[in-house]
Amino acid sequence: MNSRGRPEHQVRGGTDAFARRAETKKTPQGACLREEVMKPRWTEGGPSSSPAQNGKSPRGGQGSNLMEQVVTRENMLAALKRVERNGGAPSVDSTPTERLRDQIRAEWPRILEELLAGTYRPMPVRRVEIPKRGGGKRLLGIPTVMDRLIQQALLRVLTPIFEPQFSEASFGFRPGRRAHDAVRKARQYVEEGYEWAVDLDIEKYFDRVNHDILMARVAWRVTDKSVLTLIRRYLQTGVMVNGVVIETAEGTPRGGPISPLLANILLDDLDKELEKRGHKFVCYADDCNIYVKSKRAGERVMASIRNFLQERLKLKINEQKSAVDRPWELKFLGFSMYKHKAGVILIRLAPQTIDRVKTKIREITARNKPVSMALNAYLGGWIGYSPWPTRPASSRT
């Protein structure tokens, strides 16, 4: 028995399907995917040599064998472990994560052939609504567990292609980076004298991504047509609402493993524009703060970036959530800054964040059932997120 309580032969059976089928499957060109294709190229802790380092195209992208790298046994096994570890709710086919290995045994030969031939079609995602912190609803799209697996495998190959090009000022959904790093960088700029912030919030970013513009950016570095076709199909797969499939003409559904990377690929245009202009800025996904030395400069930057987003990326600024103000009057990633003695810049939880935590605690403790586990879990999460060094960056050794 393994640690998950399954007989070892049962566990191996589901994942060995990756190896058995791939060793004999032929590509559309008739070339057999031999055992050398299945050799390890990326370990669980990170690539010693990336699976995307082969087949570079003349324009600096990746050549026509990326899909073969996506479906290697080692890559698929690593993706499977991640999907099982993440868990999550079933999608439109009602298949839970616990049944994914059974589905692999039954369907992987057909799916592999379709992936290599560029004919695989994802299933629609399941629409889920969750409350937004500031009110309203956030729309998620939950893919099937099989599509989560394929997206995760695709993500493992695409990440080392795109990650090195991203800006040092970008922190959202990136390996080894988190919100705390973004806030520390923002404080550094304020300490350097950039005491006005242009607080940008892109309106419904994940729902408004232009597919053609995004795919053009992906195609700058990826030339494998089967990979490009698959990504576009994931963007356009549709959403199941009350049993009816609604087409998706724009946006990248939140809920799929590949969506954050695609979001960063498009937003890299904004990062590169800000770098070209020499601005001090910090971005976390669609939240971006630009630091300047006067209110007038901030207003000029706001107007200029508003035009850039509209003309280049077909995106709009959320005017109600965007502002030019002092950093200590704004909230960034749940935190705010304040001036201590002698002008020292410190960081604390934003008042809005504290109010939200209090409201959640009241909701948990008002339930007519034992609340200790739920409360401990919630507070534990916040204790892990909110601790902050009170000393300014300039005083640390």
Side-chain angles (χ1 to χ4, degrees):
M1 300 288 287
N2 76 331
S3 59
R4 300 175 67 91
R6 294 174 177 167
E8 290 295 338
H9 72 275
Q10 181 179 348
V11 174
R12 290 195 299 267
T15 56
D16 282 355
F18 294 137
R20 288 198 305 270
R21 313 303 181 189
E23 286 170 1
T24 58
K25 188 62 59 179
K26 294 181 180 297
T27 67
Q29 293 77 23
C32 181
L33 296 182
R34 301 184 185 279
E35 180 60 27
E36 58 265 24
V37 178
M38 311 304 294
K39 291 179 181 177
R41 292 199 179 109
W42 198 349
T43 62
E44 179 66 20
S48 56
S49 62
S50 161
Q53 287 179 343
N54 299 321
K56 289 193 175 182
S57 72
R59 55 176 172 166
Q62 300 294 324
S64 59
N65 69 334
L66 277 189
M67 186 59 79
E68 295 180 7
Q69 298 175 33
V70 170
V71 299
T72 60
R73 180 175 184 272
E74 286 70 27
N75 194 52
M76 295 304 303
L77 284 174
L80 175 62
K81 292 177 182 178
R82 174 58 65 88
V83 170
E84 290 182 327
R85 186 162 61 246
N86 290 345
S91 184
V92 295
D93 65 349
S94 301
T95 302
T97 308
E98 293 78 12
R99 297 296 302 276
L100 177 56
R101 290 175 182 252
D102 295 334
Q103 190 175 14
I104 291 169
R105 282 191 291 270
E107 300 183 28
W108 185 247
R110 171 187 59 81
I111 293 173
L112 174 60
E113 182 176 7
E114 292 175 355
L115 286 171
L116 292 172
T119 60
Y120 177 78
R121 292 190 175 276
M123 295 188 69
V125 298
R126 182 169 67 89
R127 169 63 50 82
V128 174
E129 296 182 355
I130 61 173
K132 295 178 68 173
R133 292 178 177 177
K137 299 288 186 179
R138 174 173 286 117
L139 302 180
L140 301 183
I142 308 301
T144 65
V145 288
M146 180 60 73
D147 281 322
R148 279 180 242 170
L149 172 67
I150 296 170
Q151 284 194 34
Q152 190 68 53
L154 191 61
L155 178 66
R156 288 179 55 82
V157 171
L158 293 180
T159 295
I161 296 175
F162 288 97
E163 176 65 24
Q165 77 171 4
F166 291 149
S167 170
E168 284 298 312
S170 171
F171 293 87
F173 308 122
R174 297 184 60 189
R177 290 170 173 246
R178 58 177 186 157
H180 286 70
D181 302 321
V183 178
R184 285 192 183 96
K185 191 66 175 179
R187 178 175 64 180
Q188 175 187 326
Y189 290 142
V190 176
E191 288 178 332
E192 293 172 357
Y194 296 86
E195 295 190 348
W196 286 88
V198 182
D199 184 13
L200 294 177
D201 184 277
I202 301 177
E203 186 175 70
K204 297 182 179 179
Y205 173 64
F206 283 85
D207 301 327
R208 299 283 174 82
V209 168
N210 183 288
H211 291 171
D212 291 336
I213 296 176
L214 172 58
M215 290 307 303
R217 302 301 184 268
V218 176
W220 284 352
R221 293 181 176 270
V222 173
T223 60
D224 188 320
K225 291 183 179 180
S226 61
V227 170
L228 293 173
T229 298
L230 182 60
I231 294 173
R232 184 175 281 275
R233 284 176 179 163
Y234 273 122
L235 291 173
Q236 299 178 338
T237 188
V239 179
M240 181 79 76
V241 181
N242 297 324
V244 178
V245 177
I246 300 175
E247 294 183 357
T248 48
E250 60 181 1
T252 173
R254 279 175 287 194
I258 201 172
S259 292
L261 175 63
L262 296 179
N264 278 340
I265 289 173
L266 187 61
L267 284 174
D268 190 57
D269 273 30
L270 173 61
D271 297 341
K272 293 298 189 290
E273 180 67 18
L274 294 174
E275 288 178 345
K276 185 175 69 174
R277 299 183 185 187
H279 287 309
K280 309 292 186 181
F281 70 98
V282 178
C283 289
Y284 194 96
D286 55 337
D287 289 325
C288 184
N289 277 11
I290 307 166
Y291 296 91
V292 295
K293 292 192 173 182
S294 71
K295 182 176 182 180
R296 186 175 180 181
E299 291 171 343
R300 288 198 302 266
V301 170
M302 176 72 84
S304 177
I305 295 303
R306 180 187 293 110
N307 292 335
F308 172 83
L309 288 171
Q310 290 177 346
E311 295 175 8
R312 179 75 69 86
L313 302 180
K314 310 301 181 187
L315 297 170
K316 294 182 179 181
I317 289 177
N318 186 327
E319 301 292 348
Q320 293 183 339
K321 294 184 178 180
S322 300
V324 177
D325 209 334
R326 296 289 194 178
W328 37 89
E329 300 295 333
L330 299 170
K331 174 175 68 73
F332 184 49
L333 303 178
F335 294 96
S336 63
M337 302 182 198
Y338 66 102
K339 274 191 172 183
H340 197 48
K341 298 177 182 178
V344 173
I345 305 298
L346 299 179
I347 297 171
R348 62 186 173 189
L349 286 175
Q352 305 95 312
T353 303
I354 295 174
D355 290 342
R356 189 169 62 249
V357 172
K358 290 179 178 178
T359 299
K360 184 65 176 180
I361 291 174
R362 283 194 291 268
E363 291 177 0
I364 294 174
T365 55
R367 297 170 186 168
N368 295 322
K369 58 182 179 180
V371 298
S372 59
M373 292 184 63
L375 185 59
N376 288 340
Y378 180 73
L379 293 178
W382 264 110
I383 291 171
Y385 179 75
S386 62
W388 203 271
T390 56
R391 289 180 296 164
S394 58
S395 71
R396 295 199 301 271
T397 57

